[in-house]
Amino acid sequence: KSRFEKNSKNAYTFEVIVADILNVLNHLKIKSSNFIGVSLGTIIVREIAEKHPKFAESLVLVGAILKFNFRSNFLMRLGNSLRSLIPYLLLYKLFAFIIMPNKNHKESRLLLVRECKKLYQKEFIRWCKLTIGINQLLKIHRMNDLNIPSLYIMGEEDYLFLPSIKKAVSNFSNAQLHISKNAGHIANVDQPLEFNNVSINFLKSL
């Protein structure tokens, strides 16, 4: 069993998740990859690049998270405090609406809620616990300038995370930022054709 499976009854950590991904790559004899991460997945992708850079040829980070502002920190703390009291699906629907409130974000909201239905309460609680100590991890990600080509794709309506990404990318020497109009946190769903074209052109340019 993988480390992720062995720890499935305990709290998840980014270390365990990254180790599981690397186990798959090693099993398939994949020496390096172009990684694409979305939302929480961008933190995992960054952790791979930070701790095991030889595996990462490039990064595409959609709806990237590098900092929690006051509002997102409040949501994170609220979720952790209510995770055992309120049905997880109701809590998830509320968070999805707060993060992606606009009418044109509806498809993204429905997608996330649909995927969340595959979880159950205890599993949701374990994923919530990933946020414990996350601010310190994100601080490291903001400070470190990776020597890996990175493309950040953000929706112009990603109010919680876009401001911090703009600031961070301006200080990164090997990163570029693409902002999608009429898109929210999950820009690849709100503007799929644009996401495909921008990502493919970035990969071709390497």
Side-chain angles (χ1 to χ4, degrees):
K1 288 186 176 182
S2 69
R3 291 179 63 186
F4 193 78
E5 291 172 318
K6 290 177 181 177
N7 284 272
S8 62
K9 295 182 180 180
N10 302 314
Y12 295 152
T13 67
F14 286 105
E15 180 183 8
V16 168
I17 297 172
V18 167
D20 206 55
I21 294 171
L22 297 184
N23 285 340
V24 172
L25 294 178
N26 287 325
H27 176 74
L28 297 175
K29 298 181 180 180
I30 299 174
K31 295 182 178 180
S32 62
S33 298
N34 299 292
F35 286 94
I36 298 178
V38 180
S39 191
L40 182 64
T42 64
I43 302 176
I44 297 170
V45 166
R46 276 286 309 226
E47 269 295 275
I48 293 174
E50 293 278 352
K51 303 290 180 58
H52 309 276
K54 68 176 183 179
F55 284 97
E57 292 187 17
S58 70
L59 308 177
V60 176
L61 306 108
V62 188
I65 300 172
L66 281 177
K67 185 178 182 180
F68 284 91
N69 61 16
F70 176 82
R71 184 164 46 170
S72 50
N73 266 311
F74 174 78
L75 289 174
M76 183 171 62
R77 293 191 181 98
L78 181 65
N80 276 313
S81 64
L82 298 178
R83 66 193 181 207
S84 299
L85 303 175
I86 297 178
Y88 79 97
L89 194 56
L90 179 61
L91 198 59
Y92 202 85
K93 286 180 178 180
L94 174 63
F95 287 171
F97 183 78
I98 293 173
I99 295 171
M100 297 168 287
N102 293 4
K103 185 177 180 180
N104 55 308
H105 306 163
K106 182 178 179 180
E107 185 177 354
S108 295
R109 290 197 302 271
L110 293 177
L111 173 64
L112 291 183
V113 171
R114 186 166 64 248
E115 292 302 307
C116 186
K117 287 181 180 178
K118 298 176 183 179
L119 301 177
Y120 55 94
Q121 189 83 8
K122 290 183 179 180
E123 185 74 5
F124 178 76
I125 290 173
R126 285 198 287 269
W127 279 104
C128 282
K129 289 181 179 179
L130 268 177
T131 60
I132 298 175
I134 199 172
N135 284 322
Q136 185 59 35
L137 178 67
L138 294 179
K139 183 178 180 180
I140 295 172
H141 288 183
R142 293 195 304 274
M143 291 174 59
N144 288 355
D145 187 3
L146 293 175
N147 189 29
I148 296 172
S150 303
L151 171 64
Y152 290 79
I153 301 178
M154 305 293 294
E156 67 172 353
E157 298 163 356
D158 191 349
Y159 310 114
L160 292 183
F161 303 109
L162 178 58
S164 60
I165 295 298
K166 285 181 177 179
K167 183 177 180 180
V169 171
S170 67
N171 294 319
F172 293 158
S173 60
N174 209 5
Q176 51 186 289
L177 171 62
H178 177 86
I179 299 177
S180 295
K181 293 186 177 181
N182 299 315
H185 183 57
I186 311 297
N188 57 307
V189 174
D190 296 337
Q191 297 292 348
L193 295 180
E194 182 178 349
F195 162 75
N196 287 342
N197 290 333
V198 172
S199 300
I200 291 171
N201 288 337
F202 168 72
L203 294 173
K204 285 182 176 180
S205 70
L206 301 178

mmCIF file of all heavy atoms in Angstrom, residues 32-68:
data_model
loop_
_atom_site.group_PDB
_atom_site.id
_atom_site.type_symbol
_atom_site.label_atom_id
_atom_site.label_comp_id
_atom_site.label_asym_id
_atom_site.label_seq_id
_atom_site.Cartn_x
_atom_site.Cartn_y
_atom_site.Cartn_z
ATOM 1 N N SER A 32 10.593 12.756 -14.973
ATOM 2 C CA SER A 32 10.167 14.138 -14.755
ATOM 3 C C SER A 32 8.873 14.380 -15.513
ATOM 4 O O SER A 32 8.553 13.664 -16.468
ATOM 5 C CB SER A 32 11.243 15.128 -15.204
ATOM 6 O OG SER A 32 11.497 15.001 -16.588
ATOM 7 N N SER A 33 8.146 15.426 -15.106
ATOM 8 C CA SER A 33 6.831 15.686 -15.687
ATOM 9 C C SER A 33 6.551 17.175 -15.737
ATOM 10 O O SER A 33 7.181 17.969 -15.032
ATOM 11 C CB SER A 33 5.726 15.010 -14.865
ATOM 12 O OG SER A 33 5.862 13.620 -14.841
ATOM 13 N N ASN A 34 5.581 17.537 -16.581
ATOM 14 C CA ASN A 34 4.995 18.868 -16.569
ATOM 15 C C ASN A 34 3.732 18.771 -15.717
ATOM 16 O O ASN A 34 2.789 18.084 -16.083
ATOM 17 C CB ASN A 34 4.651 19.324 -17.994
ATOM 18 C CG ASN A 34 5.878 19.397 -18.877
ATOM 19 O OD1 ASN A 34 6.744 20.230 -18.675
ATOM 20 N ND2 ASN A 34 5.961 18.516 -19.863
ATOM 21 N N PHE A 35 3.723 19.441 -14.580
ATOM 22 C CA PHE A 35 2.623 19.312 -13.637
ATOM 23 C C PHE A 35 1.595 20.425 -13.832
ATOM 24 O O PHE A 35 1.947 21.586 -14.039
ATOM 25 C CB PHE A 35 3.133 19.371 -12.195
ATOM 26 C CG PHE A 35 3.850 18.127 -11.758
ATOM 27 C CD1 PHE A 35 5.226 18.032 -11.868
ATOM 28 C CD2 PHE A 35 3.153 17.053 -11.236
ATOM 29 C CE1 PHE A 35 5.901 16.890 -11.470
ATOM 30 C CE2 PHE A 35 3.805 15.900 -10.834
ATOM 31 C CZ PHE A 35 5.193 15.824 -10.952
ATOM 32 N N ILE A 36 0.320 20.037 -13.745
ATOM 33 C CA ILE A 36 -0.774 21.001 -13.748
ATOM 34 C C ILE A 36 -1.554 20.818 -12.450
ATOM 35 O O ILE A 36 -1.978 19.706 -12.117
ATOM 36 C CB ILE A 36 -1.711 20.809 -14.947
ATOM 37 C CG1 ILE A 36 -0.949 21.033 -16.267
ATOM 38 C CG2 ILE A 36 -2.900 21.763 -14.858
ATOM 39 C CD1 ILE A 36 -1.783 20.821 -17.515
ATOM 40 N N GLY A 37 -1.720 21.910 -11.711
ATOM 41 C CA GLY A 37 -2.472 21.864 -10.464
ATOM 42 C C GLY A 37 -3.578 22.901 -10.491
ATOM 43 O O GLY A 37 -3.428 23.960 -11.098
ATOM 44 N N VAL A 38 -4.687 22.588 -9.832
ATOM 45 C CA VAL A 38 -5.828 23.508 -9.763
ATOM 46 C C VAL A 38 -6.200 23.717 -8.294
ATOM 47 O O VAL A 38 -6.350 22.753 -7.541
ATOM 48 C CB VAL A 38 -7.049 22.954 -10.532
ATOM 49 C CG1 VAL A 38 -8.215 23.929 -10.449
ATOM 50 C CG2 VAL A 38 -6.684 22.665 -11.982
ATOM 51 N N SER A 39 -6.309 24.984 -7.890
ATOM 52 C CA SER A 39 -6.719 25.353 -6.535
ATOM 53 C C SER A 39 -5.829 24.689 -5.490
ATOM 54 O O SER A 39 -4.628 24.923 -5.465
ATOM 55 C CB SER A 39 -8.197 25.006 -6.332
ATOM 56 O OG SER A 39 -8.694 25.575 -5.133
ATOM 57 N N LEU A 40 -6.390 23.841 -4.641
ATOM 58 C CA LEU A 40 -5.587 23.170 -3.624
ATOM 59 C C LEU A 40 -4.463 22.360 -4.256
ATOM 60 O O LEU A 40 -3.380 22.216 -3.683
ATOM 61 C CB LEU A 40 -6.487 22.255 -2.779
ATOM 62 C CG LEU A 40 -5.830 21.508 -1.628
ATOM 63 C CD1 LEU A 40 -5.313 22.477 -0.563
ATOM 64 C CD2 LEU A 40 -6.799 20.507 -1.005
ATOM 65 N N GLY A 41 -4.702 21.859 -5.462
ATOM 66 C CA GLY A 41 -3.675 21.089 -6.167
ATOM 67 C C GLY A 41 -2.436 21.894 -6.486
ATOM 68 O O GLY A 41 -1.347 21.332 -6.648
ATOM 69 N N THR A 42 -2.580 23.226 -6.575
ATOM 70 C CA THR A 42 -1.395 24.047 -6.861
ATOM 71 C C THR A 42 -0.423 24.034 -5.689
ATOM 72 O O THR A 42 0.788 24.156 -5.876
ATOM 73 C CB THR A 42 -1.781 25.507 -7.178
ATOM 74 O OG1 THR A 42 -2.389 26.126 -6.027
ATOM 75 C CG2 THR A 42 -2.747 25.571 -8.353
ATOM 76 N N ILE A 43 -0.942 23.875 -4.469
ATOM 77 C CA ILE A 43 -0.065 23.782 -3.304
ATOM 78 C C ILE A 43 0.720 22.473 -3.349
ATOM 79 O O ILE A 43 1.926 22.435 -3.069
ATOM 80 C CB ILE A 43 -0.878 23.874 -2.005
ATOM 81 C CG1 ILE A 43 -1.677 25.179 -1.968
ATOM 82 C CG2 ILE A 43 0.035 23.782 -0.784
ATOM 83 C CD1 ILE A 43 -2.583 25.321 -0.754
ATOM 84 N N ILE A 44 0.048 21.402 -3.738
ATOM 85 C CA ILE A 44 0.713 20.106 -3.853
ATOM 86 C C ILE A 44 1.789 20.151 -4.930
ATOM 87 O O ILE A 44 2.916 19.675 -4.740
ATOM 88 C CB ILE A 44 -0.329 19.010 -4.169
ATOM 89 C CG1 ILE A 44 -1.326 18.885 -3.011
ATOM 90 C CG2 ILE A 44 0.352 17.672 -4.428
ATOM 91 C CD1 ILE A 44 -2.516 18.010 -3.304
ATOM 92 N N VAL A 45 1.465 20.739 -6.085
ATOM 93 C CA VAL A 45 2.425 20.857 -7.178
ATOM 94 C C VAL A 45 3.638 21.685 -6.759
ATOM 95 O O VAL A 45 4.781 21.345 -7.059
ATOM 96 C CB VAL A 45 1.736 21.468 -8.420
ATOM 97 C CG1 VAL A 45 2.755 21.917 -9.441
ATOM 98 C CG2 VAL A 45 0.775 20.458 -9.039
ATOM 99 N N ARG A 46 3.382 22.782 -6.057
ATOM 100 C CA ARG A 46 4.485 23.613 -5.569
ATOM 101 C C ARG A 46 5.360 22.843 -4.583
ATOM 102 O O ARG A 46 6.590 22.983 -4.580
ATOM 103 C CB ARG A 46 3.953 24.882 -4.902
ATOM 104 C CG ARG A 46 3.636 26.018 -5.843
ATOM 105 C CD ARG A 46 4.875 26.701 -6.392
ATOM 106 N NE ARG A 46 5.844 27.103 -5.398
ATOM 107 C CZ ARG A 46 6.443 28.289 -5.362
ATOM 108 N NH1 ARG A 46 6.120 29.203 -6.255
ATOM 109 N NH2 ARG A 46 7.362 28.562 -4.455
ATOM 110 N N GLU A 47 4.755 22.025 -3.740
ATOM 111 C CA GLU A 47 5.518 21.233 -2.785
ATOM 112 C C GLU A 47 6.434 20.232 -3.498
ATOM 113 O O GLU A 47 7.569 20.004 -3.089
ATOM 114 C CB GLU A 47 4.588 20.479 -1.834
ATOM 115 C CG GLU A 47 4.240 21.218 -0.568
ATOM 116 C CD GLU A 47 5.444 21.450 0.315
ATOM 117 O OE1 GLU A 47 5.819 20.561 1.108
ATOM 118 O OE2 GLU A 47 6.049 22.543 0.221
ATOM 119 N N ILE A 48 5.932 19.638 -4.571
ATOM 120 C CA ILE A 48 6.774 18.733 -5.363
ATOM 121 C C ILE A 48 7.966 19.494 -5.925
ATOM 122 O O ILE A 48 9.118 19.047 -5.853
ATOM 123 C CB ILE A 48 5.957 18.091 -6.505
ATOM 124 C CG1 ILE A 48 4.891 17.155 -5.928
ATOM 125 C CG2 ILE A 48 6.875 17.323 -7.462
ATOM 126 C CD1 ILE A 48 3.940 16.596 -6.964
ATOM 127 N N ALA A 49 7.685 20.678 -6.483
ATOM 128 C CA ALA A 49 8.752 21.486 -7.068
ATOM 129 C C ALA A 49 9.738 21.984 -6.013
ATOM 130 O O ALA A 49 10.948 22.088 -6.280
ATOM 131 C CB ALA A 49 8.149 22.660 -7.826
ATOM 132 N N GLU A 50 9.235 22.298 -4.825
ATOM 133 C CA GLU A 50 10.093 22.793 -3.746
ATOM 134 C C GLU A 50 11.005 21.689 -3.211
ATOM 135 O O GLU A 50 12.205 21.892 -3.042
ATOM 136 C CB GLU A 50 9.226 23.335 -2.589
ATOM 137 C CG GLU A 50 8.430 24.575 -2.909
ATOM 138 C CD GLU A 50 9.253 25.841 -2.780
ATOM 139 O OE1 GLU A 50 10.398 25.763 -2.303
ATOM 140 O OE2 GLU A 50 8.727 26.899 -3.163
ATOM 141 N N LYS A 51 10.412 20.536 -2.937
ATOM 142 C CA LYS A 51 11.145 19.471 -2.247
ATOM 143 C C LYS A 51 11.824 18.489 -3.198
ATOM 144 O O LYS A 51 12.821 17.860 -2.833
ATOM 145 C CB LYS A 51 10.174 18.703 -1.333
ATOM 146 C CG LYS A 51 9.452 19.568 -0.310
ATOM 147 C CD LYS A 51 10.383 20.057 0.765
ATOM 148 C CE LYS A 51 9.663 20.936 1.792
ATOM 149 N NZ LYS A 51 8.540 20.275 2.456
ATOM 150 N N HIS A 52 11.268 18.342 -4.404
ATOM 151 C CA HIS A 52 11.808 17.348 -5.345
ATOM 152 C C HIS A 52 11.867 17.952 -6.754
ATOM 153 O O HIS A 52 11.186 17.473 -7.669
ATOM 154 C CB HIS A 52 10.944 16.086 -5.340
ATOM 155 C CG HIS A 52 10.681 15.539 -3.964
ATOM 156 N ND1 HIS A 52 11.568 14.710 -3.300
ATOM 157 C CD2 HIS A 52 9.634 15.733 -3.106
ATOM 158 C CE1 HIS A 52 11.078 14.403 -2.111
ATOM 159 N NE2 HIS A 52 9.919 15.004 -1.970
ATOM 160 N N PRO A 53 12.653 19.003 -6.956
ATOM 161 C CA PRO A 53 12.642 19.745 -8.225
ATOM 162 C C PRO A 53 13.033 18.929 -9.448
ATOM 163 O O PRO A 53 12.635 19.268 -10.562
ATOM 164 C CB PRO A 53 13.641 20.880 -7.971
ATOM 165 C CG PRO A 53 14.504 20.397 -6.857
ATOM 166 C CD PRO A 53 13.612 19.567 -5.988
ATOM 167 N N LYS A 54 13.774 17.855 -9.254
ATOM 168 C CA LYS A 54 14.199 17.052 -10.413
ATOM 169 C C LYS A 54 13.008 16.408 -11.123
ATOM 170 O O LYS A 54 13.107 16.033 -12.307
ATOM 171 C CB LYS A 54 15.190 15.978 -9.986
ATOM 172 C CG LYS A 54 14.604 14.881 -9.119
ATOM 173 C CD LYS A 54 15.639 13.803 -8.818
ATOM 174 C CE LYS A 54 15.021 12.659 -8.003
ATOM 175 N NZ LYS A 54 16.008 11.591 -7.730
ATOM 176 N N PHE A 55 11.878 16.285 -10.436
ATOM 177 C CA PHE A 55 10.692 15.671 -11.038
ATOM 178 C C PHE A 55 9.865 16.665 -11.844
ATOM 179 O O PHE A 55 8.991 16.257 -12.600
ATOM 180 C CB PHE A 55 9.805 15.043 -9.961
ATOM 181 C CG PHE A 55 10.311 13.743 -9.416
ATOM 182 C CD1 PHE A 55 11.038 13.710 -8.243
ATOM 183 C CD2 PHE A 55 10.076 12.553 -10.068
ATOM 184 C CE1 PHE A 55 11.522 12.518 -7.720
ATOM 185 C CE2 PHE A 55 10.550 11.352 -9.576
ATOM 186 C CZ PHE A 55 11.286 11.329 -8.390
ATOM 187 N N ALA A 56 10.110 17.954 -11.674
ATOM 188 C CA ALA A 56 9.245 18.978 -12.275
ATOM 189 C C ALA A 56 9.953 19.709 -13.409
ATOM 190 O O ALA A 56 10.891 20.469 -13.176
ATOM 191 C CB ALA A 56 8.793 19.970 -11.213
ATOM 192 N N GLU A 57 9.492 19.485 -14.634
ATOM 193 C CA GLU A 57 10.026 20.221 -15.783
ATOM 194 C C GLU A 57 9.379 21.598 -15.881
ATOM 195 O O GLU A 57 10.020 22.572 -16.261
ATOM 196 C CB GLU A 57 9.792 19.429 -17.072
ATOM 197 C CG GLU A 57 10.607 18.154 -17.168
ATOM 198 C CD GLU A 57 10.466 17.503 -18.518
ATOM 199 O OE1 GLU A 57 10.010 18.177 -19.476
ATOM 200 O OE2 GLU A 57 10.789 16.308 -18.628
ATOM 201 N N SER A 58 8.103 21.663 -15.561
ATOM 202 C CA SER A 58 7.385 22.932 -15.575
ATOM 203 C C SER A 58 6.119 22.793 -14.748
ATOM 204 O O SER A 58 5.691 21.683 -14.403
ATOM 205 C CB SER A 58 7.027 23.346 -17.014
ATOM 206 O OG SER A 58 6.020 22.489 -17.538
ATOM 207 N N LEU A 59 5.525 23.945 -14.417
ATOM 208 C CA LEU A 59 4.296 23.971 -13.627
ATOM 209 C C LEU A 59 3.263 24.849 -14.305
ATOM 210 O O LEU A 59 3.584 25.938 -14.791
ATOM 211 C CB LEU A 59 4.559 24.534 -12.226
ATOM 212 C CG LEU A 59 5.682 23.931 -11.385
ATOM 213 C CD1 LEU A 59 5.797 24.691 -10.064
ATOM 214 C CD2 LEU A 59 5.459 22.454 -11.136
ATOM 215 N N VAL A 60 2.028 24.380 -14.345
ATOM 216 C CA VAL A 60 0.884 25.203 -14.721
ATOM 217 C C VAL A 60 -0.041 25.210 -13.511
ATOM 218 O O VAL A 60 -0.507 24.161 -13.069
ATOM 219 C CB VAL A 60 0.148 24.650 -15.956
ATOM 220 C CG1 VAL A 60 -1.093 25.493 -16.243
ATOM 221 C CG2 VAL A 60 1.065 24.624 -17.170
ATOM 222 N N LEU A 61 -0.270 26.397 -12.956
ATOM 223 C CA LEU A 61 -1.017 26.516 -11.707
ATOM 224 C C LEU A 61 -2.272 27.357 -11.933
ATOM 225 O O LEU A 61 -2.182 28.552 -12.228
ATOM 226 C CB LEU A 61 -0.137 27.140 -10.620
ATOM 227 C CG LEU A 61 1.202 26.404 -10.406
ATOM 228 C CD1 LEU A 61 2.342 27.255 -10.960
ATOM 229 C CD2 LEU A 61 1.441 26.091 -8.960
ATOM 230 N N VAL A 62 -3.423 26.725 -11.830
ATOM 231 C CA VAL A 62 -4.705 27.371 -12.111
ATOM 232 C C VAL A 62 -5.437 27.662 -10.793
ATOM 233 O O VAL A 62 -5.581 26.774 -9.959
ATOM 234 C CB VAL A 62 -5.591 26.479 -13.004
ATOM 235 C CG1 VAL A 62 -6.830 27.241 -13.452
ATOM 236 C CG2 VAL A 62 -4.808 25.951 -14.192
ATOM 237 N N GLY A 63 -5.879 28.905 -10.639
ATOM 238 C CA GLY A 63 -6.507 29.262 -9.373
ATOM 239 C C GLY A 63 -5.534 29.047 -8.227
ATOM 240 O O GLY A 63 -5.876 28.494 -7.184
ATOM 241 N N ALA A 64 -4.302 29.492 -8.450
ATOM 242 C CA ALA A 64 -3.224 29.209 -7.499
ATOM 243 C C ALA A 64 -3.479 29.848 -6.138
ATOM 244 O O ALA A 64 -4.105 30.903 -6.032
ATOM 245 C CB ALA A 64 -1.891 29.692 -8.067
ATOM 246 N N ILE A 65 -2.985 29.178 -5.111
ATOM 247 C CA ILE A 65 -3.097 29.678 -3.742
ATOM 248 C C ILE A 65 -1.692 29.867 -3.189
ATOM 249 O O ILE A 65 -0.940 28.897 -3.031
ATOM 250 C CB ILE A 65 -3.889 28.701 -2.851
ATOM 251 C CG1 ILE A 65 -5.307 28.496 -3.406
ATOM 252 C CG2 ILE A 65 -3.944 29.196 -1.416
ATOM 253 C CD1 ILE A 65 -6.092 27.409 -2.692
ATOM 254 N N LEU A 66 -1.339 31.113 -2.919
ATOM 255 C CA LEU A 66 -0.055 31.422 -2.295
ATOM 256 C C LEU A 66 -0.219 32.189 -0.986
ATOM 257 O O LEU A 66 0.749 32.360 -0.248
ATOM 258 C CB LEU A 66 0.833 32.231 -3.249
ATOM 259 C CG LEU A 66 1.549 31.455 -4.356
ATOM 260 C CD1 LEU A 66 2.332 32.407 -5.252
ATOM 261 C CD2 LEU A 66 2.477 30.396 -3.774
ATOM 262 N N LYS A 67 -1.447 32.651 -0.733
ATOM 263 C CA LYS A 67 -1.690 33.376 0.505
ATOM 264 C C LYS A 67 -3.179 33.405 0.797
ATOM 265 O O LYS A 67 -3.995 33.559 -0.116
ATOM 266 C CB LYS A 67 -1.153 34.815 0.405
ATOM 267 C CG LYS A 67 -1.252 35.603 1.699
ATOM 268 C CD LYS A 67 -0.655 37.002 1.543
ATOM 269 C CE LYS A 67 -0.705 37.771 2.850
ATOM 270 N NZ LYS A 67 -0.122 39.134 2.718
ATOM 271 N N PHE A 68 -3.525 33.274 2.072
ATOM 272 C CA PHE A 68 -4.910 33.438 2.512
ATOM 273 C C PHE A 68 -5.059 34.849 3.072
ATOM 274 O O PHE A 68 -4.350 35.228 4.008
ATOM 275 C CB PHE A 68 -5.264 32.415 3.589
ATOM 276 C CG PHE A 68 -5.505 31.029 3.063
ATOM 277 C CD1 PHE A 68 -4.474 30.113 2.977
ATOM 278 C CD2 PHE A 68 -6.767 30.648 2.645
ATOM 279 C CE1 PHE A 68 -4.690 28.836 2.493
ATOM 280 C CE2 PHE A 68 -7.001 29.374 2.148
ATOM 281 C CZ PHE A 68 -5.959 28.459 2.070
#
